[in-house]
Amino acid sequence: MHRYRVAIVGAGIIGASIARILSMYENIDVSLIEKEPDVGWGVSKANTAVIHPGHEEDPKSYPLRARLCKEGNELWREWVRELDIPAKWPGELMVFTSDEEEKAAEKYIEFAKVNKVPGVRVVYREELRALEPTVNPDALGAVYAPTAGMISPMEAVIAIVENAVENGVKLFTETEVFNVRVSANRVIGVDTNRGFIEADVVINAAGLYADKISNVVGVDTWFFIKPRRGEYLLFDEDVDIKPTRILHTVPTLVTKGVYVVTTVHGNLMIGPTAEDLPVDAREATLTTREGLEYLWREAGKILKVLPPRSRVIRTFAGLRPEPPNGQWLIKAYDSPWGFVNVAGTRSPGLTAAPAIALHVLEQMRSVFDLRLVKKEKWNPFRKDIVRVRNRSIEEIDRLVETNPDYGEILCYCRMVSKAEVVEAIKRMKAIGVKTITVDGIKFRTYAGMGKCQGSFCRWRVALLVSKYTGVPLESVVVKRGSYGVGDVKLLLRGRAAKGQG
Amino acid sequence: MSNLIEERYDVVVIGGGPAGIAAAIRATELGLKTILLENRDVLGGIPLQCVHPGFGLHYFKEDLTGTQFIHRFFERMERIGVEYITSAHVHSIEYRDYMEKVVNTITRKGVLRLYSKTIIYTVGARERTLFEIGVVGDRPDGIYTAGEAQTMMDIYGVLPGKDVVIIGSGDVGLIMARRFALEGARVKAVIEIMPYPGGLMRNVVQCLRDFNIPLLLSHAVISIAGKKRVEKVTVVKVDEGFRPIPGTEFEIACDTVVIAAGLRPNIDLLERLSIAIDPATGGPMVNELLETSIPGIFVAGNALVINDLADYVVEQGEKAAEGAKIFIENSGIPAEEWKPVKRGRNIRLAIPHYISGERSVTILARVAKPEQRVFVEVPEVGYKTFHMAVRPAEMIRLDLSKDALSKAEKSVTIEVKPIAYRA
């Protein structure tokens, strides 16, 4: 039995999904390589979190996107159950407010037919209001697509990686790939800041940087990525405007529409904007006054009542990897043999991720003629962290009986216990995270995601990180920087010793 | 069914800061079966981390640090034998009927169901965040609320940063500016959107002028930039409507931003009981014994209204405990009629919201804008006092006697009137 060593560049939703699929095989050794301290910190971190039905993809211009979007929507329903990922399936309403918009919206009914997306139809005033009471009464109608869903994308990446590692994938964090080594027209591995990693197959899922990786290999040199920024408004969970369905405006040539959703964690969220940035602005996740004002205006077209501005708890922005002409570049190359591009997977990339992973496997099988043997014992399941939140007091009491740390609440806003934070640290270590960050814990436990945005709990979480990793409190990493710059007493003593105090 | 631990009390006090401790002491002194619940692993709340003086001038007639101030109460608690639990998180409050509420509390020993005739809610405030004040740009590390920075420095000995810009010139912002300066950090500026400082005058002098820290009035931070850590902020001058004036933008290099942009009463648990809220204070509406719109639930301290002084907070805690006693003895607060306290000219907020006219009352009020040489008046009861100056940063305190208040028929009005200009 021939063994294949596969290196996947990028542990976002795409790289992680591919790793999970490849982990089903006995004779593949997978290295999942990520430049950040944790998984999912690129494109996967900040997006609309919608699992699209597939009726918005033009089957003529984007047949691959259309097919994988619909397949991905179906696969996610399995994946979220197997991996215990927060998800819901409320369906979506593309709301139109004028005859022009109605005309533009009709085309998606046609797309739905060709793409075989079930249940898509136009609903008018009364039915629209019945489906969604929070909708603006001026709305004429909407295209209803009942198969739309929402997930928590960061938790999805984390869950998939935990499951993949459980099934033998090796994760390398803080490992940046700067070269793909090719010898005799075959890839032989990747050069990283932490040394050379051997591989027979290199899969490029580097998100915003996928064009750089592709270019060093020298294939499809026309390909490049343009970052497209999307800004968002996130509201306090106590805001009572909570649409049941996913709502959005009709896409135009310029934008894909602004969404108004209730996240799986119960927060109203509005976004995104769509702003094309210069090709080198790949870290420009800043928010702008203009962008946020645009969101308020667009949301006003969809919603009957806008929430008060004072209830915004966070504004943020993410970048989407926009390829030339919107075409995904998913391809296994025989020259050099062993290279695979999964690049420019802009929306609906999140939706399609599981289907993309299967598609990549098929490409690899046919181009590389892989002889794969399925594992006898592949574990499809992963359990989420057990949480105090949303449980009855009787259930919480039983949890505390099993572990008193469940009885110590660290984050008041989101009711997160010490036990959950300790479990998150344990799980981060288990997948191979080297630097335990406060942000990494936030994404796993929601500590710091409430209305006080961590001002009451950040130091408590940082203290636990310090305790369980041996890193001094001031050196605990929050996102990318340290919590503090020094020990107050040491600084004073140091100065006194030098006679400068 | 459930085997949760159940206990019965006259008073459950939620929140072990100065208001809650004072309430629990007073309630215990009054012979009420009382328990104090605190979320953190220590009692004391915010004063624990306040190493600066200015506490106790009214209450103890002494100038104490926050830590000294709160320790005086610890000693009293011990003497009187107040029952309390730390690391206790209130999951929810159930209102069963007029004389029975349940406080579901998560502890390391399990969930407690505390049945109580009354509740005194003293959980304090939370700080406004970057996002609430509309700052845009990057979201790097190095951004702290003032309270978080203070916890880091004065509880855990960690210096948050070295080159600091502080947003907000309320007392919290001013005190943190001095605190950073004392640790050798460079405070580049304190930025205040209003045309006047938000804190007490003594703090402007002692915390900024004495340390040569620039105070930029009518300015706002509009954005933050930085990759890993904060690198700079963009500041702009604002007009009277707080709108940025184009062309006045400039940058300040810094590695740390401290947000001291005000506090909001933390009333999440009460909001879920659909309590009446005063938009002016952000806290519950209360009567003269600090009872909320839900019978037998009292509120005191910064969960009621953002106070200038811990001394006032303590007084409110004691007042609420006296209210609880009256409530229990009379199955409710006896009053023939509740008369509204109305806000007149230049009054932004006033506590309490309702009075009976049957008890003496201390009213705390804040003006909307600073004025000099004014009378503070309550025309219905013939109250009138002269003030050299009134400022939004400093609460006005009106002690109104029962006799005076008995003159009020339908309502009382607090108002500020300038002295007629003399040529």
Side-chain angles (χ1 to χ4, degrees):
Chain A
M1 182 170 65
H2 188 271
R3 293 197 76 78
Y4 304 94
R5 293 163 303 179
V6 177
I8 302 170
V9 186
I13 194 72
I14 301 290
S17 298
I18 296 169
R20 180 176 193 239
I21 291 296
L22 299 186
S23 77
M24 293 178 184
Y25 297 92
E26 191 62 56
N27 55 337
I28 303 184
D29 298 318
V30 181
S31 300
L32 181 58
I33 307 171
E34 172 56 50
K35 70 181 167 60
E36 298 289 348
D38 203 345
V39 298
W41 278 21
V43 181
S44 307
K45 183 168 143 180
N47 53 70
T48 318
V50 170
I51 301 302
H52 297 282
H55 65 307
E56 288 169 49
E57 303 305 320
D58 183 341
K60 281 209 187 72
S61 313
Y62 307 107
L64 185 66
R65 269 166 50 178
R67 175 165 73 83
L68 297 183
C69 179
K70 195 213 166 213
E71 288 175 13
N73 179 296
E74 288 161 9
L75 284 167
W76 270 120
R77 293 174 226 171
E78 261 171 59
W79 284 39
V80 297
R81 272 196 298 270
E82 289 172 344
L83 301 173
D84 209 2
I85 297 165
K88 58 177 182 177
W89 302 92
E92 67 147 69
L93 292 162
M94 181 193 292
V95 179
F96 49 83
T97 54
S98 66
D99 294 344
E100 268 170 32
E101 283 185 355
E102 180 176 1
K103 244 191 142 73
E106 276 166 6
K107 124 178 133 193
Y108 300 104
I109 304 286
E110 289 311 307
F111 288 180
K113 278 183 202 157
V114 179
N115 296 343
K116 299 193 170 56
V117 179
V120 179
R121 63 192 170 90
V122 177
V123 292
Y124 290 99
R125 287 175 182 273
E126 289 71 28
E127 194 181 358
L128 172 59
R129 272 195 294 276
L131 280 170
E132 187 47 65
T134 66
V135 82
N136 190 332
D138 296 339
L140 300 179
V143 176
Y144 176 46
T147 55
M150 294 209 64
I151 62 169
S152 166
M154 268 304 267
E155 286 171 275
V157 180
I158 291 162
I160 294 168
V161 172
E162 283 181 6
N163 178 243
V165 170
E166 162 86 24
N167 286 305
V169 169
K170 191 155 173 27
L171 174 70
F172 295 85
T173 54
E174 296 174 58
T175 306
E176 186 167 0
V177 171
F178 50 82
N179 186 34
V180 179
R181 229 188 265 180
V182 177
S183 175
N185 206 27
R186 288 175 81 101
V187 300
I188 56 166
V190 291
D191 289 301
T192 78
N193 58 324
R194 287 161 32 91
F196 181 63
I197 299 175
E198 283 182 278
D200 307 307
V201 174
V202 172
I203 300 173
N204 170 24
L208 286 161
Y209 296 90
D211 56 347
K212 312 250 183 223
I213 301 291
S214 183
N215 286 343
V216 298
V217 179
V219 296
D220 287 319
T221 47
W222 52 271
F223 180 79
F224 68 97
I225 279 172
K226 206 153 69 157
R228 181 174 285 175
R229 180 164 54 211
E231 300 181 39
Y232 294 87
L233 296 163
L234 187 70
F235 293 82
D236 184 8
E237 60 184 315
D238 285 345
V239 167
D240 53 10
I241 301 159
K242 286 194 182 172
T244 308
R245 319 274 168 198
I246 297 160
L247 304 176
H248 68 102
T249 56
V250 178
T252 66
L253 285 175
V254 205
T255 80
K256 220 186 160 212
V258 169
Y259 282 72
V260 176
V261 297
T262 306
T263 68
V264 290
H265 299 306
N267 298 84
L268 176 72
M269 185 170 83
I270 300 172
T273 58
E275 189 188 350
D276 284 322
L277 302 181
V279 282
D280 56 349
R282 309 221 178 173
E283 301 290 330
T285 56
L286 61 148
T287 56
T288 66
R289 200 161 293 260
E290 299 72 30
L292 300 176
E293 287 305 321
Y294 169 79
L295 294 180
W296 283 107
R297 282 197 305 276
E298 290 296 302
K301 294 181 190 167
I302 300 180
L303 287 174
K304 183 158 64 180
V305 185
L306 282 174
R309 291 193 172 220
S310 60
R311 302 312 283 269
V312 172
I313 60 167
R314 195 170 182 86
T315 57
F316 64 95
L319 300 176
R320 291 104 86 181
E322 191 63 30
N325 304 317
Q327 298 287 356
W328 291 351
L329 178 58
I330 303 180
K331 193 168 163 187
Y333 298 82
D334 54 7
S335 176
W337 194 95
F339 186 67
V340 183
N341 258 329
V342 193
T345 48
R346 48 92 82 194
S347 180
L350 170 67
T351 304
I356 288 175
L358 288 171
H359 179 67
V360 166
L361 178 65
E362 286 317 305
Q363 293 280 304
M364 284 166 61
R365 273 184 199 273
S366 69
V367 177
F368 304 147
D369 191 26
L370 302 182
R371 312 264 161 84
L372 299 180
V373 181
K374 277 225 170 188
K375 276 180 188 162
E376 272 173 30
K377 282 185 186 164
W378 181 75
N379 181 5
F381 301 109
R382 168 265 182 193
K383 289 304 286 177
D384 195 8
I385 293 175
V386 176
R387 303 170 196 282
V388 167
R389 187 180 155 79
N390 292 336
R391 264 173 219 276
S392 73
I393 51 172
E394 288 78 12
E395 287 172 323
I396 296 170
D397 191 58
R398 283 194 289 276
L399 271 182
V400 178
E401 212 174 309
T402 63
N403 178 359
D405 285 350
Y406 277 113
E408 200 174 322
I409 305 298
L410 300 185
C411 165
Y412 313 150
C413 305
R414 286 270 166 175
M415 213 184 280
V416 180
S417 70
K418 182 180 169 185
E420 293 155 60
V421 173
V422 172
E423 173 67 15
I425 294 172
K426 206 175 96 190
R427 286 180 182 221
M428 287 165 88
K429 286 182 175 174
I431 61 169
V433 170
K434 289 188 283 289
T435 306
I436 306 293
T437 60
V438 173
D439 252 33
I441 292 169
K442 178 173 88 174
F443 291 123
R444 286 168 176 82
T445 64
Y446 327 142
M449 281 194 177
K451 70 178 75 183
C452 90
Q453 286 290 303
S455 63
F456 282 125
C457 70
R458 193 163 15 242
W459 54 270
R460 295 173 160 199
V461 172
L463 276 172
L464 284 175
V465 174
S466 174
K467 183 180 163 188
Y468 284 90
T469 61
V471 175
L473 182 60
E474 69 267 19
S475 307
V476 168
V477 176
V478 180
K479 192 187 278 182
R480 291 194 170 88
S482 65
Y483 193 37
V485 296
D487 181 312
V488 167
K489 291 179 223 76
L490 281 183
L491 288 174
L492 288 175
R493 257 183 251 135
R495 252 182 323 184
K498 284 181 210 150
Q500 294 168 0
Chain B
M1 248 206 50
S2 114
N3 51 357
L4 302 176
I5 303 163
E6 297 188 355
E7 293 277 351
R8 289 195 175 270
Y9 288 92
D10 293 324
V11 186
V12 172
V13 183
I14 305 173
I21 292 175
I25 290 173
R26 190 84 190 102
T28 306
E29 280 175 345
L30 291 170
L32 304 174
K33 186 167 190 279
T34 304
I35 188 163
L36 172 63
L37 306 175
E38 165 56 34
N39 195 315
R40 283 163 80 159
D41 56 1
V42 286
L43 288 176
I46 301 303
L48 276 184
Q49 65 196 43
C50 295
V51 299
H52 56 276
F55 289 78
L57 288 165
H58 291 251
Y59 193 84
F60 291 114
K61 314 286 176 216
E62 273 180 74
D63 194 0
L64 305 171
T65 66
T67 324
Q68 289 171 322
F69 177 79
I70 204 70
H71 272 87
R72 297 249 172 133
F73 290 96
F74 292 165
E75 286 157 22
R76 274 199 199 176
M77 273 185 76
E78 205 161 317
R79 229 174 22 245
I80 294 161
V82 174
E83 188 184 348
Y84 68 91
I85 323 177
T86 53
S87 298
H89 178 82
V90 174
H91 170 279
S92 50
I93 299 171
E94 294 168 34
Y95 179 85
R96 290 169 74 100
D97 67 40
Y98 206 76
M99 293 304 283
E100 188 174 86
K101 292 98 195 166
V102 186
V103 180
N104 295 312
T105 308
I106 304 173
T107 74
R108 291 184 62 89
K109 293 194 176 105
V111 177
L112 315 179
R113 273 174 75 74
L114 306 175
Y115 288 76
S116 189
K117 293 179 182 136
T118 64
I119 291 170
I120 302 179
Y121 186 86
T122 52
V123 306
R126 68 172 180 85
E127 297 174 279
R128 291 172 78 208
T129 68
L130 189 69
F131 305 103
E132 281 174 279
I133 57 174
V135 178
V136 296
D138 293 326
R139 296 166 300 286
D141 289 327
I143 303 167
Y144 310 87
T145 61
E148 184 185 4
Q150 196 178 43
T151 308
M152 289 169 74
M153 288 167 86
D154 291 327
I155 305 280
Y156 297 106
V158 168
L159 187 64
K162 285 178 176 156
D163 292 289
V164 186
V165 167
I166 294 179
I167 303 178
S169 70
D171 291 316
V172 176
L174 300 174
I175 284 160
M176 285 311 291
R178 174 175 64 185
R179 193 66 196 91
F180 271 103
L182 285 170
E183 292 304 347
R186 285 169 293 274
V187 182
K188 297 291 196 73
V190 174
I191 314 286
E192 173 58 58
I193 196 165
M194 305 297 285
Y196 45 81
L200 301 172
M201 223 49 222
R202 72 171 196 222
N203 283 332
V204 175
V205 176
Q206 293 169 11
C207 299
L208 299 190
R209 286 188 202 158
D210 290 358
F211 291 84
N212 291 320
I213 295 169
L215 171 62
L216 303 178
L217 299 172
S218 296
H219 279 76
V221 170
I222 50 170
S223 70
I224 293 177
K227 289 195 177 70
K228 284 187 170 177
R229 175 103 196 173
V230 174
E231 290 163 25
K232 63 186 179 188
V233 296
T234 302
V235 180
V236 70
K237 209 168 162 31
V238 298
D239 63 18
E240 308 85 61
F242 312 119
R243 288 173 297 260
I245 301 172
T248 62
E249 299 87 357
F250 60 96
E251 291 175 349
I252 301 178
C254 57
D255 63 15
T256 303
V257 175
V258 172
I259 301 150
L263 305 170
R264 301 287 295 164
N266 206 340
I267 49 170
D268 291 358
L269 285 169
L270 298 182
E271 272 184 315
R272 283 167 210 157
L273 297 171
S274 300
I275 211 155
I277 306 293
D278 174 4
T281 60
M285 313 262 282
V286 291
N287 62 29
E288 66 207 15
L289 291 166
L290 309 185
E291 184 191 29
T292 66
S293 55
I294 299 186
I297 299 184
F298 297 79
V299 61
N302 278 0
L304 166 63
V305 62
I306 303 307
N307 287 273
D308 304 344
L309 299 173
D311 301 59
Y312 294 168
V313 162
V314 164
E315 283 177 8
Q316 289 158 10
E318 292 174 346
K319 174 71 75 185
E322 284 151 23
K325 169 92 169 167
I326 295 170
F327 181 91
I328 291 166
E329 282 178 347
N330 301 280
S331 295
I333 306 287
E336 264 182 37
E337 189 188 357
W338 290 112
K339 296 162 190 162
V341 175
K342 292 186 172 169
R343 289 176 281 150
R345 187 191 168 281
N346 196 18
I347 292 291
R348 187 165 70 79
L349 59 86
I351 296 287
H353 302 82
Y354 293 96
I355 58 165
S356 64
E358 297 160 30
R359 294 176 196 90
S360 298
V361 174
T362 298
I363 291 177
L364 292 173
R366 247 181 232 290
V367 295
K369 58 178 199 295
E371 279 188 300
Q372 306 220 325
R373 302 175 62 78
V374 292
F375 285 110
V376 174
E377 299 183 24
V378 185
E380 294 89 342
V381 303
Y383 177 96
K384 186 172 184 177
T385 51
F386 174 73
H387 290 248
M388 274 304 289
V390 287
R391 305 174 55 241
E394 282 164 53
M395 278 179 149
I396 304 167
R397 191 188 160 104
L398 298 78
D399 289 308
L400 303 178
S401 71
K402 180 177 154 186
D403 287 350
L405 286 171
S406 65
K407 287 182 240 163
E409 283 180 12
K410 288 206 171 79
S411 60
V412 294
T413 310
I414 320 296
E415 54 193 9
V416 176
K417 287 197 173 152
I419 299 179
Y421 178 73
R422 281 171 301 166

